[in-house]
Amino acid sequence: MASFHQQLQDALPDLWRYAFALTRARDRADDLVQDCAERALRKRALWLPGRPLKPWLMKMLLNILRNDHARGAGRVMVPFEEQIARAQPLIDTEGRLELAATARALARLPEAQREALLLVAVGGLDYSEAARALGIPVGTLMSRLSRARSRLRQWRAEGEKPNVRSIS
């Protein structure tokens, strides 16, 4: 198994994607990842060397975010449309509209379902790692994922796909 520092370095891109998915703000995601890496280095003695580091880091990042929200700090909400406009690289208007609709649907999910889905889909954790990161049984994680995916499919089926046509 790779060293602590190597695993930390390898996990940084996934940590950032997860932080960005949770906050929808690049600066806030940067701060969260930096806080998480700093805390991981400080608390390295608490990590169990035989286990993968990424689930531990994901849980730490989520706890940092939750603590910030409890204190009322870090609530930087960027409107979806503004965030979509900043996203790189989006090719066409239809893709932007689809991404905006997906972001709005994710925001409508209950927090527990959204966290579970983002850990697996964005964070790249397997079910057992994600369950450990959230401190829940694997069955509970699978249930939350199933409900989240079902709701997203339902909302997608109910919503009309935007009609994108040129005016001219």
Side-chain angles (χ1 to χ4, degrees):
M1 184 167 276
S3 71
F4 178 88
H5 292 289
Q6 185 61 49
Q7 286 189 62
L8 177 60
Q9 187 174 356
D10 292 346
L12 290 176
D14 289 335
L15 281 173
W16 191 88
R17 279 191 298 275
Y18 182 54
F20 181 73
L22 289 170
T23 63
R24 296 182 309 270
R26 291 179 190 275
D27 293 340
R28 184 68 185 120
D30 291 342
D31 292 343
L32 270 174
V33 171
Q34 181 177 339
D35 291 349
C36 181
E38 183 271 330
R39 185 174 293 176
L41 290 168
R42 249 187 318 117
K43 306 271 185 178
R44 179 180 179 182
L46 298 175
W47 173 63
L48 301 172
R51 299 179 101 171
L53 184 64
K54 190 161 71 166
W56 186 64
L57 293 169
M58 294 284 187
K59 181 174 187 169
M60 189 180 298
L61 186 136
L62 183 58
N63 286 338
I64 292 169
L65 179 67
R66 287 176 176 168
N67 290 341
D68 287 351
H69 279 225
R71 286 191 308 257
R75 292 200 173 204
V76 178
M77 297 303 286
V78 178
F80 289 114
E81 291 74 22
E82 181 181 330
Q83 191 56 51
I84 298 307
R86 285 195 236 163
Q88 299 280 330
L90 290 177
I91 297 169
D92 60 4
T93 303
E94 188 172 344
R96 288 177 189 229
L97 292 172
E98 186 70 27
L99 185 57
T102 301
R104 282 191 300 274
L106 281 171
R108 289 175 54 192
L109 288 173
E111 185 175 348
Q113 291 176 12
R114 183 174 54 251
E115 289 171 355
L117 185 62
L118 291 175
L119 273 175
V120 172
V122 176
L125 299 183
D126 64 33
Y127 287 4
S128 62
E129 292 172 333
R132 199 171 342 156
L134 292 172
I136 58 175
V138 174
T140 302
L141 175 83
M142 292 171 65
S143 175
R144 288 179 184 176
L145 288 170
S146 175
R147 287 188 187 116
R149 290 172 176 152
S150 176
R151 282 184 182 196
L152 290 174
R153 275 191 300 273
Q154 177 187 359
W155 292 336
R156 184 168 175 84
E158 290 172 357
E160 291 182 27
K161 195 165 188 175
N163 186 5
V164 182
R165 286 187 278 179
S166 173
I167 295 176
S168 54

